[in-house]
Amino acid sequence: MSLYAAPDQTQPLTSATDVATLIRNHLKRRPAPVLPRGDRALLKLAAAIVALGLGGTSLALFATHPNPDAGTELQASRVGDVVLAIPQNLTGADSDEGRLVGMARLRLDWPSLGPVTPDTRHRLLVTLSPPDKVNEPATQLSTYARFLTPTVWSNPGGLVVRGFRKGSPYEGDELYVSVPDGRGFAARCPVETAQSGLDEPCRVTFRHRGVDVNIRFPRAIVADWQIMLGGVRRTLDGLMR
């Protein structure tokens, strides 16, 4: 039955539902309207712009995302009774000949504690060695105490600074210690940093999970000692097996 034809008197539409059904069936049979040529061109242009944008974004992400396999090959090391798996891009040795027997070295970017890059401004040089009694906090402090001057002054980061007497083994260094007793942190830094010839002239040694940890670091970050020690400890936890 045509929508526009006169109703068949022998088959009257009995309800509004029949009328609605008839209209829907008629609309389904009608072809979809064709867009004008100008509108079709605009739609094609918009689709092309979106596709180019998505492609450019994908290329940018691919170019800037680091290769997960680059420098992440693990090197097994044993320090005393502790076994470590160290990513190649964190090792402090540039070759097999540079490795120390029974020890391990790390080079870490500061403050990310990731691999050192050409953009690295500060770095930490970490040496791991078997436990030695001379590196226990009480032993270190008692050794230093014999050569300290009585002068004490404060330093940012909650540290106090002591000088060493002339003629002592540590002449020319200063001792940065945490309060109240220095057991949390005790680092030696040269007074004349430029004369040391090192980018990481300060040094601190502590015990962590069965290994002695020696860190050489720039004097400029000594006030961040708590962040430094905590970050190095967490890094080592992730390397230990």
Side-chain angles (χ1 to χ4, degrees):
M1 175 186 298
S2 173
L3 179 65
Y4 306 103
D8 188 348
Q9 298 299 326
T10 60
Q11 296 182 353
L13 297 176
T14 58
S15 68
T17 302
D18 296 334
V19 176
T21 301
L22 185 63
I23 293 174
R24 283 197 300 270
N25 292 335
H26 176 74
L27 291 176
K28 289 180 181 179
R29 291 194 299 269
R30 295 180 62 184
V34 179
L35 290 175
R37 181 176 300 176
D39 291 345
R40 292 200 303 271
L42 286 175
L43 286 176
K44 291 180 179 180
L45 178 61
I49 292 174
V50 171
L52 288 174
L54 292 174
T57 301
S58 300
L59 287 175
L61 290 174
F62 179 81
T64 57
H65 193 279
N67 184 352
D69 296 327
T72 57
E73 180 180 351
L74 297 179
Q75 297 181 352
S77 299
R78 178 180 289 275
V79 178
D81 296 329
V82 178
V83 177
L84 303 102
I86 305 175
Q88 187 175 9
N89 57 7
L90 295 184
T91 58
D94 297 325
S95 64
D96 291 340
E97 292 76 11
R99 297 178 186 173
L100 300 175
V101 177
M103 304 174 70
R105 284 177 173 169
L106 306 175
R107 289 186 300 178
L108 306 177
D109 172 81
W110 175 263
S112 72
L113 299 180
V116 172
T117 69
D119 296 328
T120 294
R121 294 185 56 193
H122 299 303
R123 64 179 183 174
L124 308 180
L125 303 182
V126 183
T127 301
L128 310 177
S129 58
D132 191 325
K133 187 176 181 179
V134 300
N135 293 324
E136 294 178 357
T139 303
Q140 290 187 71
L141 292 172
S142 64
T143 301
Y144 293 146
R146 294 181 291 164
F147 306 104
L148 291 172
T149 62
T151 306
V152 180
W153 61 96
S154 61
N155 186 78
L159 302 174
V160 295
V161 187
R162 301 282 300 272
F164 288 98
R165 295 197 309 265
K166 291 183 178 180
S168 71
Y170 310 110
E171 179 183 358
D173 284 359
E174 293 174 330
L175 183 65
Y176 290 76
V177 296
S178 58
V179 294
D181 57 7
R183 292 179 179 270
F185 182 78
R188 286 191 294 118
C189 296
V191 176
E192 299 293 338
T193 304
Q195 294 182 3
S196 70
L198 299 173
D199 294 329
E200 302 80 21
C202 299
R203 67 194 72 186
V204 61
T205 302
F206 58 94
R207 181 77 44 81
H208 180 69
R209 293 183 59 184
V211 297
D212 283 353
V213 184
N214 177 271
I215 306 175
R216 299 186 68 100
F217 61 94
R219 185 172 181 168
I221 68 171
V222 67
D224 296 323
W225 64 274
Q226 291 175 300
I227 299 174
M228 179 177 65
L229 294 191
V232 171
R233 289 179 186 274
R234 288 190 294 273
T235 299
L236 296 179
D237 288 341
L239 302 180
M240 292 181 176
R241 297 296 184 261

